[in-house]
Amino acid sequence: MELPEAVAVTDAVLGSRRTTGEGLTRQELLDESARLRSAAKRRRLLEVLALADEASESVGESRSRALIHVLGLPAPVLQHCFYDDDGLIGRTDFYWPEQRVIGEFDGDAKYLDDALLGERSTREAILAEKKREDRLRALGYKVVRWDWKTATNARLLSRKLAAAGITARKSPPRGQIPLALPGESTT
């Protein structure tokens, strides 16, 4: 399983978007990782756990975040709330405070699935999203959006984020995985 898929599954296991069955805790998964005989598999599981975040609200967000990590881009803040003089604007998927950039993953279901739309029409949902984005831009933030095609293509996501000012750091991003586990050699 590739890293973006593994992170998406782990986010779902740890987070609130699970719809059936009991989830697991991060500690339970860490305890299980210690039982793996293969150091490579253990490192892989620890990498996935370091990237997993129960705040992620969709598979698209999880996959995007894993690609952001793979690309060496700075780790975003997830689900940050923004306010203006009129009150709460909303919660955003991704936020890079240093660059004043907001990122939004939008799947088609957000505008087409009746369960997600609730009582609103597609037209009303799009208009509300446009007004929300206008309020964010009025505060001086750049807003960048991407869809499934971009969330599954590192080159596209890298280009889109670079155009908004999100570029690889010289030092590792937050959450970078060490090359060796405590007590293990890198050679």
Side-chain angles (χ1 to χ4, degrees):
M1 183 180 292
E2 293 295 320
L3 184 65
E5 289 83 8
V7 169
V9 168
T10 307
D11 283 356
V13 166
L14 295 174
S16 62
R17 70 178 194 243
R18 188 183 54 264
T19 56
T20 60
E22 273 190 52
L24 296 170
T25 67
R26 188 175 298 274
Q27 188 58 52
E28 288 170 327
L29 292 172
L30 283 169
D31 292 346
E32 287 302 314
S33 74
R35 296 180 185 181
L36 293 172
R37 290 183 178 206
S38 165
K41 287 180 182 177
R42 203 167 40 252
R43 276 193 299 276
R44 176 63 169 197
L45 179 55
L46 291 174
E47 178 181 24
V48 170
L49 283 172
L51 289 172
D53 194 319
E54 47 274 16
S56 185
E57 294 183 340
S58 74
V59 173
E61 289 178 27
S62 297
R63 289 185 56 90
S64 297
R65 199 177 69 258
L67 274 183
I68 288 165
H69 170 77
V70 168
L71 291 166
L73 301 174
V77 175
L78 302 182
Q79 311 309 328
H80 185 77
C81 291
F82 288 87
Y83 299 85
D84 64 9
D85 291 339
D86 293 328
L88 177 67
I89 298 171
R91 199 175 62 227
T92 60
D93 298 337
F94 305 97
Y95 172 48
W96 289 270
E98 290 177 21
Q99 295 85 357
R100 296 188 59 78
V101 172
I102 292 166
E104 294 284 345
F105 167 80
D106 287 329
D108 293 346
K110 179 177 184 175
Y111 303 105
L112 301 175
D113 185 327
D114 289 338
L116 295 175
L117 286 169
E119 298 296 316
R120 298 187 307 177
S121 68
T122 296
R123 179 182 291 181
E124 290 168 327
I126 291 170
L127 183 58
E129 194 65 23
K130 182 195 178 312
K131 288 179 180 181
R132 175 180 174 268
E133 191 169 315
D134 286 347
R135 288 173 69 191
L136 291 167
R137 285 196 172 114
L139 293 175
Y141 296 103
K142 290 181 191 173
V143 179
V144 60
R145 294 180 171 281
W146 59 90
D147 59 10
W148 272 108
K149 181 179 178 182
T150 305
T152 57
N153 184 313
R155 188 180 351 246
L156 290 176
L157 185 58
S158 178
R159 266 191 260 155
K160 196 166 270 269
L161 291 175
I166 307 298
T167 56
R169 291 183 172 186
K170 292 180 182 168
S171 61
R174 287 182 294 146
Q176 185 73 18
I177 310 306
L179 294 177
L181 299 173
E184 288 185 331
S185 170
T186 59
T187 58

